[in-house]
Amino acid sequence: MESAATERAAKRLGRLGLVVFVFFFACLLDTCVARFREPLFTVHLLPGERAWVDGMLDPEVTELSQLGVEAFDDAVRLRLDRLQRGFWLGGTMWVGEVAVDPGAAPGVREVRVRRLEKPPDEPPDGAWRVVVHADAASRRKSHLSLLRRHLGIAPGLAALSCVPLLALILLWGWFLGRRKERLLAAQGLSEIFLSRGVPEGTEVFFGLAAGAAVEPGRTVVIVDGERRPIAEARVGKTDGRNASALAAGLLTPLPPGACVRLAAEDPPREGGPTRD
């Protein structure tokens, strides 16, 4: 049956979505843990590589000429490039480029940015640790991110790549849900999206297809996934889009895939009015 095939496809899609979401969350967690464990203002480079770095400045700094650079090893240099506004918090930032000589030995160096008018004993306006690695394998092993260390994948980019995939899964899931709803409606069925036990029995909630006429007091039949009757229920409330019904005396949980089906009109009571 088409409805069964659609339901199986929706279940597989749900499992795929769960796997992608778990991977997405793991990437975010890996990124956060690595960032918190990594000392701030640290850059990892190989001999001959360059990287852009930046830092915040006091508002009094308006010209690049007011800044100077302190380097403690000629093999690692910092070139100030420009001043700019901060991306998130505003303020003034300096932007520069760190360069490592091709023949630099492995080790940790430090470069600092300081206002020229500042005394040497005051803290600098910016400081970066430059970790020089002997080769790419050494740098990869030093990463605190598990994805970077073992797979060579940037966790932030991996998490970002999951976003369009999750969007497609949600969109396709919505499409399958609407298709399943239409197929059930063609059979006179509505899927139960919520059920709860009450003292009188079991109260079920189900959606109504467009044009479905269900009024309070009508009787519906609760069926299982194989469309076998389970119990009858009487509609209590409806708003035109959703309805609730009470199955008196039904105390067992409903099986997965349970639906409601409109039953025939209640037969006239004995002794009641009849039509010739």
Side-chain angles (χ1 to χ4, degrees), residues 28-221:
L28 290 182
L29 184 62
D30 189 42
T31 300
C32 294
V33 170
R35 188 172 296 274
F36 280 115
R37 291 178 62 197
E38 180 79 69
L40 292 175
F41 308 112
T42 300
V43 60
H44 295 262
L45 297 174
L46 299 178
E49 285 189 338
R50 301 169 180 266
W52 290 99
V53 295
D54 55 53
M56 298 300 298
L57 290 170
D58 292 333
E60 301 86 49
V61 180
T62 58
E63 299 288 342
L64 201 60
S65 58
Q66 296 176 253
L67 301 175
V69 173
E70 294 179 350
F72 303 93
D73 190 329
D74 293 339
V76 177
R77 301 178 304 279
L78 172 61
R79 177 184 62 84
L80 296 179
D81 183 73
R82 64 187 183 276
L83 300 181
Q84 68 179 31
R85 296 286 297 175
F87 293 110
W88 307 110
L89 302 177
T92 304
M93 297 179 60
W94 61 266
V95 179
E97 186 183 48
V98 172
V100 180
D101 283 348
V108 180
R109 278 80 161 184
E110 185 174 306
V111 290
R112 299 176 181 176
V113 175
R114 181 188 298 277
R115 276 185 292 169
L116 297 176
E117 61 185 24
K118 258 190 175 184
D121 56 342
E122 288 192 13
D125 293 89
W128 278 79
R129 293 173 66 248
V130 182
V131 183
V132 181
H133 297 274
D135 49 41
S138 172
R139 177 168 59 181
R140 182 169 167 176
K141 289 180 181 178
S142 72
H143 285 308
L144 299 176
S145 163
L146 296 178
L147 281 176
R148 276 188 178 274
R149 188 189 311 165
H150 297 291
L151 301 178
I153 301 174
L157 292 178
L160 191 62
S161 67
C162 292
V163 174
L165 183 56
L166 285 172
L168 287 175
I169 290 174
L170 289 174
L171 182 62
W172 188 246
W174 175 85
F175 172 78
L176 289 177
R178 294 299 299 270
R179 186 168 185 265
K180 180 182 178 181
E181 184 179 306
R182 290 194 299 269
L183 291 172
L184 289 175
Q187 304 172 49
L189 299 170
S190 294
E191 187 174 20
I192 296 173
F193 59 81
L194 176 65
S195 66
R196 63 183 183 183
V198 294
E200 298 84 357
T202 300
E203 187 176 20
V204 297
F205 298 82
F206 54 96
L208 298 176
V214 177
E215 299 177 354
R218 286 290 303 275
T219 299
V220 296
V221 178

